[in-house]
Amino acid sequence: MMTSYELGNPSRATMAFVAFLVLSLGISMVVYAVLVRRAPRRSTFPDTSAIQVPFAALLSTAVFALLFGGLYATTLQGFYRVELLDGEVRLHYLFPAHTVTVSRLELTQAERIPAHKGRWHLRLHTFQGDTYQSALANDRAVLQSWEGLNAYLEHAGQP
């Protein structure tokens, strides 16, 4: 027996990943350009930069990391599909692409976590204290998978 729940659309997630990457890169490049722009012509030293290039590169890299890291962590990080098998649960991730397998008997709880603007996360807990959280998903998808996981966990001790 296998039941599968989709929490997000992989192609939309990939498009969002690329859009976040381009947006973050673009903003950090603008920050870099502004920081190293040439001083005004009336300056005593007209050929000097407004700021040192290595510092501008470091600062724009930090801006990129904060923007992209924040967007990734709040929306894209987490699993996108849950497969309920007879003795295990498989969690499929997109970024980076991999699958995590958790024994059915290790799982203790599934919970719905509200995020923002009607979006939710599904969070799974194990007896060892591990936590697995889904990527941001719509309420209906999280509710269906949460209900399915709870029914699945109720029958964990039964053959």
Side-chain angles (χ1 to χ4, degrees), residues 136-156:
L136 199 60
N138 68 48
D139 182 38
R140 184 180 48 80
V142 172
L143 179 63
Q144 287 176 346
S145 58
W146 176 75
E147 288 172 344
L149 271 159
N150 280 326
Y152 177 81
L153 292 175
E154 287 176 11
H155 296 86

Side-chain angles (χ1 to χ4, degrees), residues 72-94:
Y72 173 80
T74 58
T75 58
L76 298 174
Q77 184 178 15
F79 57 88
Y80 280 81
R81 187 173 72 213
V82 179
E83 290 179 351
L84 307 177
L85 304 169
D86 288 332
E88 62 189 22
V89 175
R90 289 189 189 147
L91 308 173
H92 297 270
Y93 293 79
L94 285 177

Side-chain angles (χ1 to χ4, degrees), residues 29-89:
M29 290 174 70
V30 167
V31 167
Y32 178 80
V34 167
L35 290 175
V36 297
R37 75 183 192 288
R38 296 291 177 187
R41 292 180 188 232
R42 296 183 192 157
S43 173
T44 310
F45 305 104
D47 292 334
T48 61
S49 296
I51 196 167
Q52 294 294 321
V53 172
F55 180 72
L58 182 65
L59 193 58
S60 63
T61 301
V63 166
F64 170 79
L66 286 172
L67 283 173
F68 185 72
L71 290 169
Y72 173 80
T74 58
T75 58
L76 298 174
Q77 184 178 15
F79 57 88
Y80 280 81
R81 187 173 72 213
V82 179
E83 290 179 351
L84 307 177
L85 304 169
D86 288 332
E88 62 189 22
V89 175

